[in-house]
Amino acid sequence: MSIKKPQREYFLDSIRAYLMLLGIPFHMSLIYSGHQWAVNSAEPSSWLTLFNDFIHAFRMQVFFVISGYFSYMLYLRYQPQRWLKVRVERVGIPMLTAIPLLTLPQFFLLKSWTPAIGDWNHFGLYEKYNALVWHLVSHLWFLLVLVILTTLGIVLFKILRDGGKKQTTKTDYSELNWRKLTLSFIGFALIWGSIRRLVFIFQPALLTDGLFNFAVMQTLFYLPFFMLGAMAWKHPAIKALFLKFNPWTLVGSTGAFIAYLLNQRYSTGEGWLYEIDTVITLLMGLWMVNVVFTLGHKLLNSHSPRITYLVNASLFIYLVHHPLTLLYGIFITPAISNNTLGFFVGLAFVFGIAFVLYEIHLRIPLLRFLFSGKPPQAAKSPQQANS
């Protein structure tokens, strides 16, 4: 087992932080988009709808590649049981903290001030349970998926680490290319789509169940990205492929985004909307790994105290931004008639308050532990890099 601590991957830290922080413009633009949300402006904005769609089409796929990369790196550094404990604490404690402190108050906010919850008083027991799951997990879904993927990683990473030991020739993936990766992801998309279609045919009620969607369907969707990131750590040829710009990935991403827009506007949920969406977003996410990694490696691969601060702050900012965005949408959006102005005022409102709250929480050891999952002695300074 390797215990050597590698050189810091500054560009991956930066990308991870920026992808996390993109959650704020994503949800703020959702208010002003043509998509129905808990809160919407009086009239939708075309450019903010397009902007929202673009962020949604690739952001989390790239994020899970980076998560898999760093997770496998840490897996090699610790004993497996120690690794599982550390990773689940880092992800699970902030998730469990955010439910009573953030998403539960948010639930009552939505129930009282928006029609998002529905007629709660007339819900049956299961309907109330399911509504609570959808709204309490809410934007915390990716933390739940990370906990599940981390747990699965005990087995999957062991196979990845030990694979090939009994073979006379080891695969180094030097012959891997974007065509082969694309075909493999198309194959996975067909498997995922087939699973969803079978559920739709035989147990359609499951597709409206919050826990099933988050714990099963979302986990399955992001599993190949998570494992691809882990493989990029183990096999330098895969990482090199990601870091060498291929113009066809940019062309493919552009075409996939156009297909994504057309599918969202002209397909229906009863038809093949979700299955087509899976093929498109899996491929766009894969190709955008190359686009984002090459740009990040070129522009962001250096140490910066500002980036270190953002890396440390990004999870907390993401956790608190959602109720702040809803507060802005409910009480301030109606007072600003211009959508573009409202969007940028909203960004200033949410970012400003979120960073103030982040600085306050740094000075309260209990909150710092609850929102980072680190013991007090492991979170000594806001300038200390996040592992």
Side-chain angles (χ1 to χ4, degrees), residues 56-73:
H56 183 65
F58 79 92
R59 179 173 69 102
M60 295 309 297
Q61 297 93 304
V62 179
F63 174 85
F64 274 96
V65 172
I66 298 174
S67 295
Y69 183 89
F70 282 125
S71 292
Y72 187 69
M73 176 191 75

Side-chain angles (χ1 to χ4, degrees), residues 53-183:
D53 285 334
F54 177 69
I55 296 175
H56 183 65
F58 79 92
R59 179 173 69 102
M60 295 309 297
Q61 297 93 304
V62 179
F63 174 85
F64 274 96
V65 172
I66 298 174
S67 295
Y69 183 89
F70 282 125
S71 292
Y72 187 69
M73 176 191 75
L74 293 172
Y75 177 83
L76 297 179
R77 187 182 302 173
Y78 300 118
Q79 292 291 339
Q81 296 304 318
R82 169 65 176 165
W83 170 80
L84 180 63
K85 179 178 182 295
V86 170
R87 295 308 297 162
V88 169
E89 284 178 350
R90 295 282 178 88
V91 177
I93 291 176
M95 180 182 70
L96 294 176
T97 298
I99 290 175
L101 295 185
L102 297 175
T103 59
L104 183 58
Q106 176 182 284
F107 173 81
F108 289 108
L109 175 72
L110 291 172
K111 183 173 174 290
S112 300
W113 292 91
T114 76
I117 304 298
D119 191 357
W120 176 262
N121 293 329
H122 289 85
F123 282 179
L125 184 62
Y126 172 75
E127 291 174 309
K128 289 183 176 180
Y129 153 79
N130 197 35
L132 281 170
V133 170
W134 278 110
H135 291 282
L136 295 187
V137 176
S138 186
H139 68 297
L140 309 178
W141 68 266
F142 81 98
L143 294 176
L144 175 61
V145 171
L146 274 177
V147 169
I148 297 171
L149 289 175
T150 298
T151 305
L152 293 174
I154 283 289
V155 175
L156 296 175
F157 286 178
K158 183 178 187 299
I159 295 172
L160 180 62
R161 183 193 64 191
D162 299 338
K165 284 186 175 181
K166 296 182 180 180
Q167 299 177 4
T168 55
T169 58
K170 294 184 178 181
T171 303
D172 62 2
Y173 290 90
S174 58
E175 296 183 359
L176 185 67
N177 55 43
W178 286 105
R179 179 180 63 84
K180 293 178 180 178
L181 265 178
T182 298
L183 289 174

Side-chain angles (χ1 to χ4, degrees), residues 21-57 59 265 321-322 325-326 328-329 333 339-348 350-351:
L21 295 174
L22 266 178
I24 298 179
F26 169 72
H27 285 110
M28 187 59 64
S29 63
L30 194 54
I31 294 176
Y32 298 98
S33 74
H35 304 300
Q36 185 176 359
W37 197 43
V39 184
N40 287 108
S41 58
E43 295 293 333
S45 163
S46 296
W47 83 267
L48 286 170
T49 301
L50 190 67
F51 177 71
N52 181 268
D53 285 334
F54 177 69
I55 296 175
H56 183 65
R59 179 173 69 102
R265 283 151 181 75
H321 91 275
H322 202 264
T325 303
L326 289 172
Y328 179 84
T333 292
N339 285 340
T340 299
L341 177 62
F343 172 72
F344 285 107
V345 171
L347 290 183
V350 175
F351 272 116

